Amino acid sequence: MLENFIYISDMIGVIACAISGVLVATRLRMDPFGITVLAGVTGIGGGTLRDMMMGATPVFWIVDNTYIYVIITTAIISVYWLHRIHRFPAYLLPLLDAFGLAIFTIIGAQKALMLGFSGPVAIVMGCITGVVGGMIRDILSGQIPFVLQKEIYATASILGAALYVICNYFGFGQIVAMVIAMAGTLSLRVSAIYWHLSLPVFSDDREA
């Protein structure tokens, strides 16, 4: 049951992040190849880097090609849907990002602990899994990534990964721990979006 829960959650995260990649690509009027690339890197970019850093190779989507099929199918359906409605709500992209962030963060932390890594490493791997796909998408589309701005993005990811590690340490059931941690990440990120919460920004205003 746990494996099925993790796998289904992972697929939901891939779909949510792939759609966010399609939204950015269509907004920038990319061709079908560009749309697929942005959908792909957003959906599996973070998990790919995580697996490479932990030596879990071949990485997950090479072992299980379902991830590739899901990304391509999601891209096709999303483009068709966007063509029908002609525009998408402004809140859709950050919300999809938030769902993907919550799911990927906890799956990354869970995999690190499963492979025997320490709690701090699991938190870092959770954060990498959660934020790197969106970072690559934004860099390829010529934008400053959310995580490098004042957005409460990586902070929400770190919170969720830490909650999962703590719940795991105190013997919570795996599914319960994952749900609590996902809820923590999602709550903080959505709250930040809704109430426009942000981290302080530091700058050097001195004249040269």
Side-chain angles (χ1 to χ4, degrees):
M1 182 177 177
L2 175 61
E3 289 184 0
N4 290 336
F5 177 79
I6 294 173
Y7 190 72
I8 292 172
S9 298
D10 203 14
M11 285 298 174
I12 292 173
V14 168
I15 291 170
C17 287
I19 294 174
S20 76
V22 171
L23 292 177
V24 172
T26 53
R27 187 172 62 193
L28 297 175
R29 300 182 179 277
M30 292 187 177
D31 61 18
F33 178 75
I35 291 171
T36 305
V37 168
L38 280 199
V41 298
T42 311
I44 60 177
T48 299
L49 180 60
R50 173 204 66 212
D51 283 3
M52 292 174 64
M53 291 180 70
M54 295 193 302
T57 54
V59 297
F60 64 102
W61 57 268
I62 293 178
V63 176
D64 183 359
N65 294 165
T66 304
Y67 288 91
I68 299 174
Y69 304 142
V70 166
I71 288 170
I72 293 174
T73 302
T74 300
I76 293 171
I77 294 174
S78 299
V79 168
Y80 175 76
W81 174 64
L82 289 171
H83 178 72
R84 292 291 301 272
I85 67 171
H86 301 296
R87 59 179 298 177
F88 60 89
Y91 61 80
L92 188 57
L93 177 59
L95 280 183
L96 287 170
D97 251 0
F99 276 104
L101 179 70
I103 292 171
F104 285 162
T105 292
I106 280 56
I107 288 177
Q110 189 273 338
K111 187 166 187 177
L113 290 181
M114 182 187 68
L115 292 175
F117 290 95
S118 66
V121 171
I123 294 173
V124 172
M125 290 299 117
C127 189
I128 286 173
T129 309
V131 308
V132 166
M135 286 183 66
I136 298 173
R137 176 201 64 206
D138 292 344
I139 291 171
L140 290 178
S141 58
Q143 305 177 78
I144 299 176
F146 279 150
V147 69
L148 299 182
Q149 303 182 63
K150 61 182 180 180
E151 295 276 351
I152 294 180
Y153 192 75
T155 307
S157 179
I158 293 170
L159 170 67
L163 280 174
Y164 177 76
V165 170
I166 291 170
C167 288
N168 187 77
Y169 177 80
F170 284 106
F172 284 63
Q174 286 290 304
I175 294 179
V176 173
M178 293 180 75
V179 170
I180 291 174
M182 286 179 189
T185 304
L186 189 60
S187 297
L188 179 56
R189 180 63 186 134
V190 172
S191 297
I193 294 170
Y194 185 80
W195 281 295
H196 305 289
L197 305 176
S198 62
L199 297 174
V201 176
F202 300 96
S203 63
D204 187 352
D205 296 326
R206 294 175 300 177
E207 295 183 1

